[in-house]
Amino acid sequence: MITVGTASAEPGEVATGRLEVGEGRDGGTVGLPVAVVNGARDGDRLYLQAASDGDEVNGVGVVSRVLPRLDPTDLAGSVVVVGVVNYHGFLVGEHRNPIDDTKLNRAYPGDHQGTSSERIAAATYALASDADLVVDLHQGSTSRMIEEVRVRCGRRHRLHRECLKLARTFGCGYILDQKGPDGQLARVAPDDGIPTIDPELGGSVGFDDDSIAKGVAGVFNVLRGYGFLEGAVEMEEQTRATGFDQYGAPAGGIVDFRVDLGDRVSRGDPLFTVTDVFGATKARVTADSPGVFWRSRRLPQVASGEYVCSVGTDLDTC
Ligand SMILES: [Zn+2]
């Protein structure tokens, strides 16, 4: 029997319930939605979570599409899922946890007696620590972004090879292999010996069905690739970036992009112009380094110095 919060599943069963993470402002219990899929046969455990950034709902779309297709009688091992991590942010469609104005994916491994975000991080980190593999579903917030998978432990980490293998198995086509900031789940869990990836499923306001489909395929690739389900995974060559250049606006006004997401750019290629509201050009920005046009702001209006776009650089294939 596997019990997570109020969800208990015998081998061959699925159970859903709530994982208590404290109390809300109304004095009632706050519980994250959890699911346990306990396979009929022994095996490893996958921990899957979504919406640790509360506006990143594509991961919730993945979870809601994967769970109905997971038959525990076909499964070896178990899958433990938290469907919404940043509970308070998700309720109001915000990126950060509004209770403490914190980005939850900087609070790992968390603290059971700490702030709201630290408590949620601690409760979910306990599930991650019990797993053999961790998949933390994200997206480029509400910006526009390609689908990619992040490896955040750093290339010198003892688990780097395993994290990279997990990213290749998930298989979005692109990997960003760059050490992440302190407090990220995908940075912290490898220190405890657990291969972890952070798939970034595009960027959207609300659901993006194409990004969700890539996430669903990625989860099933992991389940097959690591022996939870029968069947082979066709490993496809991934484009890996180990550098990530961010571009800001040299002038305020309206951004006009000269490249599309996923385009290859060379040094000196035009990335975007900034015009005034009457269309007169104020600035032209070109690529500093060759790479892939990775992410861009959604709204066209920018202030001087404000974020505009990112290019994944130092490319190879893996
Ligand atoms: Zn995120």
Side-chain angles (χ1 to χ4, degrees), residues 47-65:
Y47 173 61
L48 178 66
Q49 70 170 35
S52 95
D53 294 315
D55 59 348
E56 299 185 355
V57 295
N58 283 339
V60 183
V62 171
V63 166
S64 68
R65 287 158 173 75

Side-chain angles (χ1 to χ4, degrees), residues 86-242:
N86 184 351
Y87 178 88
H88 303 286
F90 177 80
L91 289 188
V92 291
E94 285 180 12
H95 191 78
R96 297 159 79 89
N97 178 356
I99 301 297
D100 52 17
D101 194 27
T102 295
K103 185 171 164 70
L104 214 151
N105 202 23
R106 298 291 182 274
Y108 284 96
D111 178 352
H112 287 289
Q113 305 303 320
T115 62
S116 170
S117 291
E118 287 168 346
R119 288 170 192 241
I120 292 171
T124 50
Y125 196 70
L127 303 180
S129 305
D130 274 347
D132 300 287
L133 300 168
V134 172
V135 174
D136 183 15
L137 298 169
H138 283 261
Q139 68 189 58
S141 186
T142 56
S143 298
R144 299 166 63 246
M145 195 165 81
I146 59 173
E147 290 86 13
E148 40 114 335
V149 182
R150 295 191 177 179
V151 172
R152 292 310 226 167
C153 62
R155 278 177 289 162
R156 290 185 183 158
H157 197 282
R158 67 191 166 90
L159 250 66
H160 178 259
R161 187 191 295 261
E162 279 107 309
C163 293
L164 190 62
K165 180 185 166 205
L166 186 55
R168 292 176 61 238
T169 304
F170 194 95
C172 273
Y174 294 94
I175 293 172
L176 179 63
D177 187 0
Q178 195 181 55
K179 192 172 183 178
D182 287 345
Q184 265 191 345
L185 179 57
R187 162 94 187 269
V188 173
D191 290 347
D192 283 329
I194 305 153
T196 301
I197 52 169
D198 170 350
E200 296 278 344
L201 302 173
S204 55
V205 179
F207 279 169
D208 181 309
D209 286 331
D210 291 340
S211 299
I212 291 170
K214 286 191 181 176
V216 170
V219 171
F220 278 101
N221 284 344
V222 168
L223 291 171
R224 293 190 187 100
Y226 286 84
F228 294 87
L229 292 174
E230 286 181 4
V233 181
E234 270 189 44
M235 300 281 277
E236 288 172 11
E237 192 173 77
Q238 306 289 303
T239 299
R240 173 171 69 164
T242 55

